[in-house]
Amino acid sequence: MTYLSEEPDPEELDVDGDQQDLADRLSLRRVAGMSTQLADITEVEYRELQLERVVLVSVWTTGSEVDSDLAMAELKLLAETAGSQVLEGLVQRRSTPDPATFIGRGKVDELRQVVIATGADTVICDGELEPAQLRNLEDRVGVKVIDRTALILDIFAQHAKSAEGKAQVELAQLQYLRQRLRGWGGNLSRQAGGRAAAGAGIGGRGPGETKIETDRRRIKTRISVLRRRLRDLEAVRETKRSQRTRNQVPSVAIVGYTNAGKSSLLNRLTGAGVLVEDALFATLDPTTRRSQSEDGRVYTLTDTVGFIRHLPHDLVEAFRSTLEESTSADLLLHVVDGSDADPFGQITAVRTVLADIGAAGVPEQLVVNKIDAAEPSALLALRGRYPDAVFVSARTGSGIEDLRRRVEQRLPRPEVEIRALVPYDRGDLINRIHRDGEFVSSDHTEHGTLVVARVNADLAGDLARYATDA
């Protein structure tokens, strides 16, 4: 019997380049069952989120059973990306989530039995829970309970690397935490009350500041500091963006669902060598690389953070400056995972987020990736609904040249056509036409280079003195 080799093709590894970031990320992994955390889980909000053995809980309110299963499968991937071991998943069919405990009373008892039987230490709910729901579930189940938003925030906190990314994640976490603070016991309060107040005596009367008020004040102060820092970083990003705009450099932003293969596609197109990992939200910090069309025009390609269904509002607000790379682009490459169980749902989710950040009007080119791993029937359905899409595989390189040509066709064209006889000692102007414009024709004559080209307004002004009708 012959077995196929599991060794990867060296050529495939070269596509993504030398990824030291990936080596660093893989060098340390959480080990399940090694925690010495005590059973007391009261101060959940003040502990580092450490997911180990988890049970997933979802409420199925709308859609089909297939939609419910897909949502649970995505929650499982999120939990595993955060470093946990998923033991069990429970789904309850309800018209609306229970206002007190998210799931019904009977399902809470069942969840408690599952937690005891499996030895789980964390319950993850598929939704954004109110503070009262979290508190009630923790009291009833006896282990830590977090919601989908806290889970995504934890993944972002693990993967943030740049100063801007870390500040954005911390801002989102604090905004989420501020609404979920609660005090535990009178020993946390400095407020004594009007009379002797439980024996506090003289000096203990009057108003004070409770522990929860202190926490809220400190969080508010920290949020102000982070917002000021992000405004400074945004100014730097805006300066770079305005410089590209001033130089008339077209920009292409790669957007799409998380783990759709955006970073792999950037590596294929530019050899950027950015981090590639088969995990959700592997890329948080946008990466911009220069590229060049066959006719010599320079443009930029930017890899952006991935989207997901029901992306937490706090994250959208915190990452707004990063997401604005999409709103200022001349073209969006919307990457879709063709091998996903629900690619149409991915497309809808991404377009919803793009509309939320004001990028719905930017020209879009749909790119179906991972065709080497997709079912032929799924690709046929995508071709039928999106006939203008480009089908590629960033791993094998299939369709990449077609995508290059499509991008070059859809890049904005210089708006001014000019005919000029450029002297041979002004080679700098010819070079600028190569870099920023588009040649229609060129001919070397006795007195210089006769060119017909499409250029931007600034370059047209510099060429005007050499313009000719001959």
Side-chain angles (χ1 to χ4, degrees):
M1 181 179 297
T2 302
Y3 294 91
L4 295 178
S5 172
E6 296 291 337
E7 292 296 323
D9 188 345
E11 294 184 358
E12 294 177 6
L13 295 179
D14 292 339
V15 171
D16 295 324
D18 183 15
Q19 298 184 72
Q20 187 60 42
D21 292 339
L22 181 59
D24 293 341
R25 183 173 295 180
L26 296 178
S27 64
L28 184 62
R29 287 295 190 186
R30 296 179 179 177
V31 180
M34 299 297 290
S35 173
T36 57
Q37 182 167 305
L38 300 179
D40 175 27
I41 50 88
T42 52
E43 297 186 11
V44 175
E45 285 87 348
Y46 295 110
R47 289 193 180 174
E48 180 182 0
L49 187 61
Q50 293 182 340
L51 303 180
E52 294 171 352
R53 298 166 60 83
V54 304
V55 174
L56 308 180
V57 178
S58 175
V59 174
W60 171 18
T61 57
T62 59
S64 64
E65 185 176 353
V66 174
D67 295 331
S68 176
D69 292 342
L70 289 174
M72 182 62 80
E74 183 173 86
L75 184 64
K76 180 176 182 290
L77 286 176
L78 286 169
E80 290 174 343
T81 301
S84 66
Q85 176 186 1
V86 177
L87 304 176
E88 188 65 81
L90 302 177
V91 179
Q92 184 179 31
R93 180 65 186 267
R94 294 176 61 94
S95 57
T96 58
D98 187 275
T101 56
F102 185 64
I103 53 178
R105 177 177 301 178
K107 187 62 72 172
V108 172
D109 295 337
E110 181 181 343
L111 175 60
R112 172 62 179 163
Q113 296 304 316
V114 170
V115 167
I116 295 174
T118 59
D121 53 27
T122 303
V123 171
I124 302 177
C125 297
D126 189 20
E128 185 167 343
L129 273 61
E130 297 294 330
Q133 292 175 319
L134 283 170
R135 181 170 59 251
N136 292 336
L137 266 181
E138 287 168 0
D139 293 342
R140 295 280 300 276
V141 178
V143 296
K144 177 172 59 183
V145 178
I146 65 171
D147 59 14
R148 189 172 183 270
T149 300
L151 177 61
I152 294 176
L153 287 173
D154 182 74
I155 296 172
F156 272 56
Q158 292 182 50
H159 292 177
K161 183 177 64 173
S162 68
E164 185 176 18
K166 291 178 180 178
Q168 288 169 325
V169 171
E170 185 180 355
L171 176 60
Q173 288 178 317
L174 290 176
Q175 289 173 331
Y176 171 84
L177 177 60
R178 182 172 56 178
Q179 307 300 324
R180 289 161 176 79
L181 287 176
R182 57 190 175 100
W184 291 276
N187 61 317
L188 297 181
S189 175
R190 301 201 327 242
Q191 185 170 358
R195 294 180 62 84
I202 298 174
R205 302 181 181 88
E209 189 175 33
T210 62
K211 179 64 164 60
I212 193 170
E213 290 170 343
T214 305
D215 292 337
R216 284 176 179 156
R217 175 171 51 80
R218 295 176 64 185
I219 287 176
K220 184 178 179 181
T221 301
R222 182 61 179 168
I223 286 176
S224 299
V225 171
L226 290 171
R227 283 178 172 164
R228 186 163 55 249
R229 183 180 302 170
L230 286 173
R231 281 195 298 269
D232 294 340
L233 292 170
E234 184 179 356
V236 175
R237 183 185 297 279
E238 182 59 33
T239 299
K240 295 179 180 179
R241 188 185 298 134
S242 62
Q243 183 177 2
R244 293 197 299 266
T245 303
R246 186 170 60 254
N247 294 334
Q248 304 290 324
V249 178
S251 61
V252 179
I254 304 176
V255 301
Y257 211 76
T258 179
N259 206 29
K262 299 182 295 299
S263 299
S264 297
L265 195 61
L266 178 69
N267 288 341
R268 265 289 178 186
L269 292 171
T270 67
V274 299
L275 173 72
V276 172
E277 186 179 9
D278 186 16
L280 305 184
F281 300 115
T283 301
L284 292 186
D285 304 310
T287 301
T288 300
R289 293 290 185 269
R290 293 173 71 90
S291 188
Q292 195 172 34
S293 63
E294 287 189 357
D295 56 8
R297 286 180 296 160
V298 174
Y299 63 96
T300 61
L301 278 164
T302 301
D303 183 20
T304 62
V305 62
F307 302 149
I308 199 170
R309 294 176 182 88
H310 311 300
L311 191 65
H313 177 74
D314 289 337
L315 274 177
V316 175
E317 288 299 316
F319 279 76
R320 181 165 295 277
S321 62
T322 301
L323 296 174
E324 282 178 354
E325 291 286 346
S326 303
T327 65
S328 61
D330 296 299
L331 176 66
L332 298 179
L333 290 188
H334 180 172
V335 184
V336 183
D337 182 358
S339 64
D340 188 78
D342 183 23
F344 300 106
Q346 285 193 3
I347 294 172
T348 301
V350 170
R351 288 177 173 171
T352 298
V353 178
L354 289 174
D356 290 342
I357 62 176
V362 180
E364 174 193 273
Q365 174 61 58
L366 202 65
V367 181
V368 179
N369 191 23
K370 303 184 183 182
I371 60 174
D372 56 307
E375 294 292 335
S377 58
L379 296 179
L380 185 62
L382 286 165
R383 291 181 191 276
R385 186 176 298 188
Y386 304 105
D388 293 331
V390 179
F391 290 74
V392 304
S393 170
R395 188 180 70 86
T396 65
S398 175
I400 294 297
E401 292 306 315
D402 292 338
L403 177 59
R404 289 184 195 274
R405 286 191 290 270
R406 182 68 63 86
V407 170
E408 293 174 9
Q409 290 171 3
R410 300 196 61 177
L411 286 175
R413 300 285 179 179
E415 63 273 16
V416 180
E417 183 171 317
I418 191 169
R419 179 185 179 90
L421 182 62
V422 182
Y424 287 119
D425 61 353
R426 292 306 308 271
D428 58 309
L429 292 176
I430 300 297
N431 182 59
R432 287 177 61 188
I433 297 175
H434 275 290
R435 186 186 63 195
D436 302 328
E438 179 182 356
F439 279 96
V440 176
S441 65
S442 64
D443 184 28
H444 297 289
T445 70
E446 180 181 354
H447 302 289
T449 305
L450 180 63
V451 299
V452 179
R454 297 187 62 86
V455 296
N456 57 58
D458 292 341
L459 183 52
D462 294 337
L463 289 167
R465 60 182 298 188
Y466 305 113
T468 177
D469 296 329

